[in-house]
């Protein structure tokens, strides 16, 4: 299914049918990724520019791989070696690269709303790869897709997102997406990092992890975002781990078939103890693997031919 929109900026306004369409495409692309030559010509002739104004490992690499697996031409922009260092504005950067006939921009920016602003100033498609504390839609899509893959359903599942919700674009996109898919979203964290206002998004809020952890089907830990001031809102990482960490002791009280997730990067020994690493419940690398197929599906939905089959090369 082709998304009838130019951009993917948020999961707030996307429909359940659009999400299911992306998941169906991602399933086809997962099959492609298992082939000896994991490549299709679906975006041959298209050009995608990855505009990353903030550091990234997973999102940047998986978008680049997704573009290459779809046979698109890929342009990687690095802010630190660009004319931004000479005073060029972000908008001028976009317009200049756009003038080279780019079909889509994948944008990560530290300012919430930057991809929305840039999308209004280009005819190319814009995909939000994380904007400040606002949203990270493709991360949430790959998270929800991974849950569906493992649990075979979404409706009625109890999700528990733990940690620095205040600064988390991943939490916001997941809240929008998960509620749309019929999941129950519970949030837990220190009051300084979990304002009551989140209840208005349809979530339940808890400050005592031990009260809510045993009921969760899906446990998603988040890191405290030092770069956005999160550390100044907790007494110490040691104290945080004691109260909100998934410790070896707490693992005894979680459901037998619960999944443990994390969008990365993980601060091991803080939000997750190393004991989680080798558990079957730990699906963190499944999330990363699914990121390529989900990003292929999003790119194909926005700038792909629509009706053509996903052919072999
Ligand atoms: N999950 C995520 O966005 O990771 P990166 O910052 O490494 O892209």
């Amino acid at each position: 299914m082709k998304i009838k929109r130019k951009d993917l900026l948020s999961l707030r306004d996307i429909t359940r049918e659009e999400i299911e369409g992306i998941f169906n495409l991602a399933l086809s692309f997962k099959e492609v990724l298992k082939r000896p030559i994991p490549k299709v010509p679906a975006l041959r002739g298209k050009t995608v520019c990855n505009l990353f104004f903030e550091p990234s490992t997973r999102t940047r690499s998986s978008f680049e791989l997704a573009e290459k697996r779809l046979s698109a031409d890929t342009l990687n922009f690095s802010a630190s070696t660009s004319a931004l260092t000479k005073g060029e504005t972000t908008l001028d950067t976009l317009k200049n690269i756009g003038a080279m006939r780019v079909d889509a921009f994948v944008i990560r920016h530290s300012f919430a709303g930057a991809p929305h602003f840039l999308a209004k100033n280009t005819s190319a498609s814009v995909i939000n790869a994380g904007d400040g504390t606002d949203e990270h839609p493709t991360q949430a899509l790959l998270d929800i897709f991974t849950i569906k893959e493992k649990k075979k359903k979404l409706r009625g599942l109890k999700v528990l997102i733990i940690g620095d919700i205040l600064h988390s674009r991943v939490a916001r996109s997941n809240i929008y997406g998960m509620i749309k898919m019929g999941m129950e979203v519970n949030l837990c964290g220190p009051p300084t990092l979990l304002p009551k206002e989140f209840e208005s998004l349809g979530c339940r809020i808890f400050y005592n992890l031990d009260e809510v952890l045993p009921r969760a089907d899906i446990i998603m830990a988040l890191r405290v975002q030092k770069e956005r001031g999160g550390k100044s809102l907790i007494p110490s990482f040691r104290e945080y781990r004691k109260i909100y960490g998934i410790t070896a002791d707490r693992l005894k009280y979680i459901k037998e078939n619960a999944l443990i997730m994390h969008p990365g990067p993980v601060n091991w020994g803080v939000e997750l103890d190393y004991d989680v690493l080798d558990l079957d419940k730990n699906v963190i690398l499944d999330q990363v693997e699914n990121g390529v197929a989900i990003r292929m599906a999003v790119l194909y939905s926005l700038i792909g031919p629509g009706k053509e089959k996903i052919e072999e090369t």
Side-chain angles (χ1 to χ4, degrees):
M1 175 190 159
K2 195 150 163 52
I3 300 181
K4 292 190 196 69
R5 57 177 72 232
K6 178 172 92 63
D7 312 303
L8 179 64
L9 302 173
S10 164
L11 289 198
R12 191 196 284 260
D13 60 353
I14 198 168
T15 64
R16 184 191 165 92
E17 289 69 33
E18 283 175 302
I19 293 177
E20 280 167 354
I22 290 169
F23 286 179
N24 287 337
L25 269 175
L27 276 177
S28 308
F29 287 128
K30 274 204 84 163
E31 183 272 315
V32 167
L33 292 171
K34 287 184 193 137
R35 293 178 190 169
I37 300 172
K39 209 169 164 100
V40 283
L43 293 190
R44 197 151 57 192
K46 302 282 182 183
T47 304
V48 183
C49 177
N50 302 309
L51 275 178
F52 278 66
F53 298 92
E54 248 195 8
S56 165
T57 297
R58 283 146 288 267
T59 312
R60 185 177 183 139
S61 311
S62 62
F63 263 114
E64 192 178 337
L65 261 186
E67 292 148 15
K68 289 182 167 146
R69 301 297 191 224
L70 291 168
S71 307
D73 293 317
T74 296
L75 190 59
N76 284 314
F77 169 86
S78 169
S80 61
T81 55
S82 75
L84 283 168
T85 58
K86 301 182 216 169
E88 187 160 67
T89 64
T90 302
L91 180 56
D92 267 343
T93 301
L94 176 103
K95 286 191 165 175
N96 278 271
I97 297 176
M100 300 177 205
R101 300 200 174 275
V102 165
D103 298 286
F105 288 100
V106 176
I107 300 179
R108 168 166 292 191
H109 205 287
S110 55
F111 289 157
H116 298 253
F117 169 71
L118 295 171
K120 288 195 182 98
N121 286 281
T122 173
S123 57
S125 287
V126 172
I127 300 170
N128 181 359
D131 62 324
T133 59
D134 179 36
E135 281 212 54
H136 194 348
T138 58
Q139 177 68 45
L141 288 172
L142 73 89
D143 292 339
I144 301 168
F145 179 80
T146 303
I147 296 167
K148 188 166 181 199
E149 186 178 60
K150 301 284 173 194
K151 292 286 193 185
K152 313 293 176 215
K153 65 165 195 174
L154 293 171
R155 183 162 293 282
L157 289 178
K158 293 179 172 48
V159 182
L160 176 61
I161 306 179
I162 309 161
D164 185 354
I165 313 286
L166 177 66
H167 298 112
S168 178
R169 53 197 178 204
V170 174
R172 279 176 185 74
S173 286
N174 263 309
I175 291 167
Y176 297 134
M178 287 172 169
I179 289 178
K180 224 157 259 180
M181 302 312 280
M183 302 166 81
E184 178 189 309
V185 184
N186 302 287
L187 307 176
C188 183
T192 47
L193 296 176
L194 178 50
K196 274 277 185 198
E197 290 78 67
F198 275 87
E199 272 174 351
S200 67
L201 301 182
C203 312
R204 294 176 71 195
I205 287 184
F206 297 86
Y207 295 114
N208 180 347
L209 180 58
D210 296 314
E211 176 195 343
V212 66
L213 189 64
R215 296 203 298 268
D217 299 304
I218 313 294
I219 298 160
M220 181 181 288
L222 302 174
R223 77 189 166 91
V224 174
Q225 298 201 20
K226 282 183 272 190
E227 74 277 24
R228 302 192 210 283
K231 190 166 183 294
S232 62
L233 298 173
I234 56 168
S236 66
F237 282 132
R238 191 187 155 110
E239 189 77 2
Y240 179 88
R241 174 185 169 272
K242 203 167 121 192
I243 304 175
Y244 293 107
I246 303 300
T247 57
D249 196 37
R250 287 202 171 96
L251 285 174
K252 294 178 202 151
Y253 303 106
I254 69 175
K255 276 190 181 176
E256 181 62 34
N257 58 355
L259 301 180
I260 300 178
M261 308 181 77
H262 195 301
V266 180
N267 288 322
W268 292 103
V270 183
E271 64 268 18
L272 294 177
D273 272 10
Y274 282 99
D275 302 71
V276 170
L277 257 179
D278 296 326
L279 297 180
D280 289 341
K281 296 173 176 24
N282 167 3
V283 297
I284 296 170
L285 291 182
D286 300 87
Q287 292 171 259
V288 177
E289 182 184 349
N290 284 334
V292 179
I294 281 289
R295 286 165 177 137
M296 287 170 81
V298 168
L299 285 160
Y300 184 87
S301 300
L302 293 176
I303 61 167
K307 294 192 193 87
E308 274 179 29
K309 281 198 304 192
I310 301 161
E311 300 160 20
E312 288 186 41
T313 42

